[in-house]
Amino acid sequence: MRHRSVVVGFAGKQGQEYLPILHRYTDVVGVVDIAPDASRLAGRLGLPFFDNLEDALACLDFDVALVTVPHQTHFSGCRALLQHGVHILKEKPFAVTEQDARDLVKMADAADRSVYTLVQRNFNPAFDFASRNLHRTGEPYWFAYDYHINLAKMTSGWRADSDKALGGVMLDMGYHLVDILAGLFASPVSVRAAFLHCYEEMRRQGLEDLVSVYFSYPYQGFAGTLCVSRHNHEKVERLTVLGTDGSLEISPTEASLYSPGGTRVAGVTVTISKEAMVDRMIARYLRHLDDREYRAKHFARQLSTVQVIQRAYESNEGGPDAHPRPSVLANAC
């Protein structure tokens, strides 16, 4: 029997991306959004429209919700859905704080419902190759994960509003990267972060434009770094892992395993589209809605990811009340 679903936050970029795929696997019985043009868009799609989740829960019969909303409304929306016995597929983050993450897991377990996070890299063949071939590097001793996009102007929309975003690039872009690291390595024992700003407006709101993080781990001789930014000259994503017997280099389009001398001994080139990866992700989650073991593993990994991100924010010494940036140029007047 096909699931009946609702999309909460359907009018945004992610909601529009996910909606056709959800149609493929479920009967979409309604959509929810507060955007000014959401009602018109729902009418064009021929779907029942609600401007608040409470009315949708009261009027519709559904067992799955796909949630893609600004960060500050994630927890309250998920709580309401779980109280009505609804499974959830949600945009990252799983939660903003560790306490919210633990509470969400407790509510999901009590309701015997799943809450799956839409983290697409887990369904990318390049990152799957890295997971399956990590052991071939011997004992890893270092990694570097860099992810930069090339916004030409200050970020806009709800991500520029601290009350809605609740964090900058670490919580938003960085969530995907920390989730990948949580799948490859044990939890770090130390997380030290520096949060930096391209724009003074972002500094005043405490929404970092760049974060650089150093991780140390419970076993000696292993550490790593992560760097994420919005305003690089080019868009780039690369994870490098060095081990005693070789190294890995992974991007969203390719992964390679190298010998200690630099010979490429194995690899994969990604030939499937992003839409196909998203399709694979949503289909997998829908198949495992009632799989308690799969659910528990997902919860454990997401809890680890949220913990690391919270520790990064707690370690940052230059918060939003730090002094305005002076010139750092050697010949500044």
PDB file of all heavy atoms in Angstrom, residues 7 15 38 41 56 66 81 94 100 112-113 118 130 140 148 152 161 179 182 201 220 241 261 265 272 279 299:
ATOM      1  N   VAL A   7       3.952  17.647   2.190  1.00  0.00           N
ATOM      2  CA  VAL A   7       5.223  18.368   2.138  1.00  0.00           C
ATOM      3  C   VAL A   7       5.065  19.675   2.915  1.00  0.00           C
ATOM      4  O   VAL A   7       4.217  20.508   2.569  1.00  0.00           O
ATOM      5  CB  VAL A   7       5.663  18.657   0.695  1.00  0.00           C
ATOM      6  CG1 VAL A   7       7.018  19.363   0.690  1.00  0.00           C
ATOM      7  CG2 VAL A   7       5.725  17.369  -0.111  1.00  0.00           C
ATOM      8  N   GLY A  15      11.888  22.092  -1.382  1.00  0.00           N
ATOM      9  CA  GLY A  15      10.580  21.494  -1.495  1.00  0.00           C
ATOM     10  C   GLY A  15      10.202  21.211  -2.937  1.00  0.00           C
ATOM     11  O   GLY A  15       9.649  20.156  -3.268  1.00  0.00           O
ATOM     12  N   ALA A  38       2.609  30.745  -2.036  1.00  0.00           N
ATOM     13  CA  ALA A  38       2.439  29.299  -1.868  1.00  0.00           C
ATOM     14  C   ALA A  38       1.051  28.831  -2.284  1.00  0.00           C
ATOM     15  O   ALA A  38       0.901  27.778  -2.912  1.00  0.00           O
ATOM     16  CB  ALA A  38       2.721  28.905  -0.418  1.00  0.00           C
ATOM     17  N   LEU A  41       0.856  28.582  -6.033  1.00  0.00           N
ATOM     18  CA  LEU A  41       1.633  27.445  -6.519  1.00  0.00           C
ATOM     19  C   LEU A  41       0.910  26.133  -6.242  1.00  0.00           C
ATOM     20  O   LEU A  41       0.875  25.243  -7.100  1.00  0.00           O
ATOM     21  CB  LEU A  41       3.010  27.451  -5.855  1.00  0.00           C
ATOM     22  CG  LEU A  41       3.963  26.316  -6.231  1.00  0.00           C
ATOM     23  CD1 LEU A  41       4.210  26.284  -7.734  1.00  0.00           C
ATOM     24  CD2 LEU A  41       5.291  26.470  -5.477  1.00  0.00           C
ATOM     25  N   ALA A  56      -3.345  21.323   8.644  1.00  0.00           N
ATOM     26  CA  ALA A  56      -3.105  20.145   7.809  1.00  0.00           C
ATOM     27  C   ALA A  56      -3.275  18.862   8.620  1.00  0.00           C
ATOM     28  O   ALA A  56      -3.878  17.889   8.147  1.00  0.00           O
ATOM     29  CB  ALA A  56      -1.708  20.213   7.202  1.00  0.00           C
ATOM     30  N   LEU A  66       7.321  15.216   4.563  1.00  0.00           N
ATOM     31  CA  LEU A  66       8.640  15.679   4.160  1.00  0.00           C
ATOM     32  C   LEU A  66       8.731  17.140   4.582  1.00  0.00           C
ATOM     33  O   LEU A  66       7.896  17.962   4.197  1.00  0.00           O
ATOM     34  CB  LEU A  66       8.839  15.525   2.658  1.00  0.00           C
ATOM     35  CG  LEU A  66      10.278  15.719   2.155  1.00  0.00           C
ATOM     36  CD1 LEU A  66      10.533  14.889   0.913  1.00  0.00           C
ATOM     37  CD2 LEU A  66      10.596  17.181   1.874  1.00  0.00           C
ATOM     38  N   LEU A  81       4.279  16.548  14.405  1.00  0.00           N
ATOM     39  CA  LEU A  81       4.068  15.420  13.508  1.00  0.00           C
ATOM     40  C   LEU A  81       4.189  14.091  14.251  1.00  0.00           C
ATOM     41  O   LEU A  81       3.372  13.180  14.048  1.00  0.00           O
ATOM     42  CB  LEU A  81       5.068  15.483  12.355  1.00  0.00           C
ATOM     43  CG  LEU A  81       4.824  16.598  11.337  1.00  0.00           C
ATOM     44  CD1 LEU A  81       6.073  16.852  10.499  1.00  0.00           C
ATOM     45  CD2 LEU A  81       3.626  16.259  10.439  1.00  0.00           C
ATOM     46  N   PHE A  94      19.394  17.481  11.606  1.00  0.00           N
ATOM     47  CA  PHE A  94      18.498  16.613  12.383  1.00  0.00           C
ATOM     48  C   PHE A  94      17.923  17.406  13.543  1.00  0.00           C
ATOM     49  O   PHE A  94      16.739  17.327  13.852  1.00  0.00           O
ATOM     50  CB  PHE A  94      19.277  15.392  12.871  1.00  0.00           C
ATOM     51  CG  PHE A  94      18.453  14.435  13.691  1.00  0.00           C
ATOM     52  CD1 PHE A  94      17.553  13.578  13.080  1.00  0.00           C
ATOM     53  CD2 PHE A  94      18.592  14.389  15.071  1.00  0.00           C
ATOM     54  CE1 PHE A  94      16.785  12.695  13.831  1.00  0.00           C
ATOM     55  CE2 PHE A  94      17.831  13.506  15.838  1.00  0.00           C
ATOM     56  CZ  PHE A  94      16.923  12.664  15.223  1.00  0.00           C
ATOM     57  N   ASP A 100      17.955  19.001  21.820  1.00  0.00           N
ATOM     58  CA  ASP A 100      16.837  18.817  20.888  1.00  0.00           C
ATOM     59  C   ASP A 100      16.946  17.490  20.155  1.00  0.00           C
ATOM     60  O   ASP A 100      15.936  16.810  19.918  1.00  0.00           O
ATOM     61  CB  ASP A 100      16.796  19.961  19.874  1.00  0.00           C
ATOM     62  CG  ASP A 100      16.164  21.223  20.440  1.00  0.00           C
ATOM     63  OD1 ASP A 100      15.685  21.189  21.590  1.00  0.00           O
ATOM     64  OD2 ASP A 100      16.164  22.245  19.724  1.00  0.00           O
ATOM     65  N   ASP A 112       7.231   5.186  17.924  1.00  0.00           N
ATOM     66  CA  ASP A 112       7.644   4.139  16.986  1.00  0.00           C
ATOM     67  C   ASP A 112       7.571   4.658  15.554  1.00  0.00           C
ATOM     68  O   ASP A 112       7.017   4.023  14.655  1.00  0.00           O
ATOM     69  CB  ASP A 112       6.783   2.890  17.141  1.00  0.00           C
ATOM     70  CG  ASP A 112       7.378   1.687  16.397  1.00  0.00           C
ATOM     71  OD1 ASP A 112       8.598   1.711  16.123  1.00  0.00           O
ATOM     72  OD2 ASP A 112       6.622   0.746  16.097  1.00  0.00           O
ATOM     73  N   ARG A 113       8.166   5.832  15.354  1.00  0.00           N
ATOM     74  CA  ARG A 113       8.200   6.463  14.048  1.00  0.00           C
ATOM     75  C   ARG A 113       9.631   6.859  13.702  1.00  0.00           C
ATOM     76  O   ARG A 113      10.471   7.064  14.584  1.00  0.00           O
ATOM     77  CB  ARG A 113       7.293   7.697  14.005  1.00  0.00           C
ATOM     78  CG  ARG A 113       5.808   7.369  14.086  1.00  0.00           C
ATOM     79  CD  ARG A 113       5.359   6.577  12.877  1.00  0.00           C
ATOM     80  NE  ARG A 113       3.938   6.226  12.896  1.00  0.00           N
ATOM     81  CZ  ARG A 113       3.459   5.081  13.357  1.00  0.00           C
ATOM     82  NH1 ARG A 113       4.284   4.161  13.873  1.00  0.00           N
ATOM     83  NH2 ARG A 113       2.160   4.843  13.312  1.00  0.00           N
ATOM     84  N   LEU A 118      17.671  14.305   5.361  1.00  0.00           N
ATOM     85  CA  LEU A 118      17.946  14.305   3.923  1.00  0.00           C
ATOM     86  C   LEU A 118      19.373  14.786   3.671  1.00  0.00           C
ATOM     87  O   LEU A 118      19.625  15.958   3.386  1.00  0.00           O
ATOM     88  CB  LEU A 118      16.923  15.186   3.209  1.00  0.00           C
ATOM     89  CG  LEU A 118      15.473  14.711   3.384  1.00  0.00           C
ATOM     90  CD1 LEU A 118      14.493  15.760   2.891  1.00  0.00           C
ATOM     91  CD2 LEU A 118      15.234  13.379   2.676  1.00  0.00           C
ATOM     92  N   ALA A 130      34.450   5.777  -0.836  1.00  0.00           N
ATOM     93  CA  ALA A 130      35.342   6.125   0.268  1.00  0.00           C
ATOM     94  C   ALA A 130      35.072   5.254   1.483  1.00  0.00           C
ATOM     95  O   ALA A 130      36.008   4.743   2.130  1.00  0.00           O
ATOM     96  CB  ALA A 130      35.172   7.598   0.623  1.00  0.00           C
ATOM     97  N   PRO A 140      44.591   5.424   8.976  1.00  0.00           N
ATOM     98  CA  PRO A 140      44.505   6.856   8.659  1.00  0.00           C
ATOM     99  C   PRO A 140      45.168   7.686   9.759  1.00  0.00           C
ATOM    100  O   PRO A 140      45.038   7.370  10.942  1.00  0.00           O
ATOM    101  CB  PRO A 140      43.002   7.118   8.602  1.00  0.00           C
ATOM    102  CG  PRO A 140      42.385   5.784   8.336  1.00  0.00           C
ATOM    103  CD  PRO A 140      43.260   4.798   9.052  1.00  0.00           C
ATOM    104  N   HIS A 148      33.725  24.880  -0.382  1.00  0.00           N
ATOM    105  CA  HIS A 148      33.560  26.318  -0.598  1.00  0.00           C
ATOM    106  C   HIS A 148      32.597  26.546  -1.756  1.00  0.00           C
ATOM    107  O   HIS A 148      32.660  25.852  -2.775  1.00  0.00           O
ATOM    108  CB  HIS A 148      34.900  26.978  -0.929  1.00  0.00           C
ATOM    109  CG  HIS A 148      35.977  26.683   0.066  1.00  0.00           C
ATOM    110  ND1 HIS A 148      36.061  27.312   1.288  1.00  0.00           N
ATOM    111  CD2 HIS A 148      37.007  25.800   0.032  1.00  0.00           C
ATOM    112  CE1 HIS A 148      37.110  26.846   1.959  1.00  0.00           C
ATOM    113  NE2 HIS A 148      37.683  25.921   1.211  1.00  0.00           N
ATOM    114  N   ALA A 152      28.698  35.719  -4.768  1.00  0.00           N
ATOM    115  CA  ALA A 152      29.315  37.007  -5.093  1.00  0.00           C
ATOM    116  C   ALA A 152      28.869  38.112  -4.147  1.00  0.00           C
ATOM    117  O   ALA A 152      29.529  39.156  -4.045  1.00  0.00           O
ATOM    118  CB  ALA A 152      28.966  37.400  -6.532  1.00  0.00           C
ATOM    119  N   ASP A 161      19.056  35.706   8.365  1.00  0.00           N
ATOM    120  CA  ASP A 161      18.296  36.087   9.553  1.00  0.00           C
ATOM    121  C   ASP A 161      18.680  35.149  10.686  1.00  0.00           C
ATOM    122  O   ASP A 161      18.356  33.962  10.656  1.00  0.00           O
ATOM    123  CB  ASP A 161      16.800  35.994   9.245  1.00  0.00           C
ATOM    124  CG  ASP A 161      15.918  36.451  10.397  1.00  0.00           C
ATOM    125  OD1 ASP A 161      16.393  36.476  11.549  1.00  0.00           O
ATOM    126  OD2 ASP A 161      14.738  36.769  10.139  1.00  0.00           O
ATOM    127  N   ASP A 179      28.477  15.024   8.851  1.00  0.00           N
ATOM    128  CA  ASP A 179      27.761  13.758   8.741  1.00  0.00           C
ATOM    129  C   ASP A 179      28.603  12.712   8.017  1.00  0.00           C
ATOM    130  O   ASP A 179      28.647  11.544   8.434  1.00  0.00           O
ATOM    131  CB  ASP A 179      26.436  13.970   8.009  1.00  0.00           C
ATOM    132  CG  ASP A 179      25.723  12.666   7.702  1.00  0.00           C
ATOM    133  OD1 ASP A 179      25.249  12.031   8.660  1.00  0.00           O
ATOM    134  OD2 ASP A 179      25.660  12.276   6.526  1.00  0.00           O
ATOM    135  N   ALA A 182      31.231  11.557  10.384  1.00  0.00           N
ATOM    136  CA  ALA A 182      30.666  10.691  11.418  1.00  0.00           C
ATOM    137  C   ALA A 182      30.487   9.268  10.913  1.00  0.00           C
ATOM    138  O   ALA A 182      30.521   8.315  11.695  1.00  0.00           O
ATOM    139  CB  ALA A 182      29.326  11.252  11.892  1.00  0.00           C
ATOM    140  N   GLU A 201      27.796  42.737   8.436  1.00  0.00           N
ATOM    141  CA  GLU A 201      26.425  42.447   8.834  1.00  0.00           C
ATOM    142  C   GLU A 201      26.296  41.017   9.366  1.00  0.00           C
ATOM    143  O   GLU A 201      25.558  40.759  10.331  1.00  0.00           O
ATOM    144  CB  GLU A 201      25.477  42.637   7.635  1.00  0.00           C
ATOM    145  CG  GLU A 201      25.362  44.063   7.146  1.00  0.00           C
ATOM    146  CD  GLU A 201      26.384  44.408   6.080  1.00  0.00           C
ATOM    147  OE1 GLU A 201      27.438  43.727   6.009  1.00  0.00           O
ATOM    148  OE2 GLU A 201      26.122  45.352   5.322  1.00  0.00           O
ATOM    149  N   GLN A 220      45.836   7.994  19.325  1.00  0.00           N
ATOM    150  CA  GLN A 220      46.976   8.862  19.019  1.00  0.00           C
ATOM    151  C   GLN A 220      47.329   8.799  17.538  1.00  0.00           C
ATOM    152  O   GLN A 220      47.122   7.803  16.864  1.00  0.00           O
ATOM    153  CB  GLN A 220      48.189   8.457  19.851  1.00  0.00           C
ATOM    154  CG  GLN A 220      48.121   8.918  21.293  1.00  0.00           C
ATOM    155  CD  GLN A 220      49.436   8.682  21.989  1.00  0.00           C
ATOM    156  OE1 GLN A 220      50.160   7.751  21.682  1.00  0.00           O
ATOM    157  NE2 GLN A 220      49.762   9.544  22.951  1.00  0.00           N
ATOM    158  N   VAL A 241      42.080  11.894   2.639  1.00  0.00           N
ATOM    159  CA  VAL A 241      42.440  11.081   3.809  1.00  0.00           C
ATOM    160  C   VAL A 241      43.799  10.455   3.546  1.00  0.00           C
ATOM    161  O   VAL A 241      43.993   9.789   2.521  1.00  0.00           O
ATOM    162  CB  VAL A 241      41.407   9.969   4.066  1.00  0.00           C
ATOM    163  CG1 VAL A 241      41.799   9.165   5.309  1.00  0.00           C
ATOM    164  CG2 VAL A 241      39.997  10.542   4.214  1.00  0.00           C
ATOM    165  N   GLY A 261      53.013   5.892  -3.192  1.00  0.00           N
ATOM    166  CA  GLY A 261      53.793   6.622  -4.188  1.00  0.00           C
ATOM    167  C   GLY A 261      52.975   7.498  -5.107  1.00  0.00           C
ATOM    168  O   GLY A 261      53.520   8.199  -5.961  1.00  0.00           O
ATOM    169  N   VAL A 265      45.153   3.388  -7.746  1.00  0.00           N
ATOM    170  CA  VAL A 265      44.952   1.946  -7.805  1.00  0.00           C
ATOM    171  C   VAL A 265      43.476   1.556  -7.923  1.00  0.00           C
ATOM    172  O   VAL A 265      43.161   0.417  -8.277  1.00  0.00           O
ATOM    173  CB  VAL A 265      45.576   1.256  -6.579  1.00  0.00           C
ATOM    174  CG1 VAL A 265      47.087   1.444  -6.581  1.00  0.00           C
ATOM    175  CG2 VAL A 265      44.982   1.785  -5.274  1.00  0.00           C
ATOM    176  N   ILE A 272      25.794   9.269 -12.296  1.00  0.00           N
ATOM    177  CA  ILE A 272      24.362   9.486 -12.089  1.00  0.00           C
ATOM    178  C   ILE A 272      24.127  10.941 -11.696  1.00  0.00           C
ATOM    179  O   ILE A 272      25.003  11.615 -11.152  1.00  0.00           O
ATOM    180  CB  ILE A 272      23.776   8.533 -11.024  1.00  0.00           C
ATOM    181  CG1 ILE A 272      24.367   8.821  -9.639  1.00  0.00           C
ATOM    182  CG2 ILE A 272      24.019   7.092 -11.418  1.00  0.00           C
ATOM    183  CD1 ILE A 272      23.658   8.050  -8.531  1.00  0.00           C
ATOM    184  N   ASP A 279      16.508  10.769  -5.498  1.00  0.00           N
ATOM    185  CA  ASP A 279      15.508   9.720  -5.683  1.00  0.00           C
ATOM    186  C   ASP A 279      15.895   8.474  -4.892  1.00  0.00           C
ATOM    187  O   ASP A 279      15.056   7.881  -4.187  1.00  0.00           O
ATOM    188  CB  ASP A 279      15.396   9.401  -7.174  1.00  0.00           C
ATOM    189  CG  ASP A 279      14.286   8.426  -7.492  1.00  0.00           C
ATOM    190  OD1 ASP A 279      14.390   7.254  -7.082  1.00  0.00           O
ATOM    191  OD2 ASP A 279      13.321   8.830  -8.164  1.00  0.00           O
ATOM    192  N   PHE A 299      19.722   7.421  13.794  1.00  0.00           N
ATOM    193  CA  PHE A 299      19.666   8.317  14.955  1.00  0.00           C
ATOM    194  C   PHE A 299      21.047   8.480  15.588  1.00  0.00           C
ATOM    195  O   PHE A 299      21.447   9.593  15.964  1.00  0.00           O
ATOM    196  CB  PHE A 299      18.691   7.767  15.994  1.00  0.00           C
ATOM    197  CG  PHE A 299      17.241   7.935  15.641  1.00  0.00           C
ATOM    198  CD1 PHE A 299      16.263   7.261  16.357  1.00  0.00           C
ATOM    199  CD2 PHE A 299      16.833   8.757  14.602  1.00  0.00           C
ATOM    200  CE1 PHE A 299      14.921   7.416  16.055  1.00  0.00           C
ATOM    201  CE2 PHE A 299      15.498   8.916  14.281  1.00  0.00           C
ATOM    202  CZ  PHE A 299      14.534   8.238  15.012  1.00  0.00           C
TER     203      PHE A 299
END
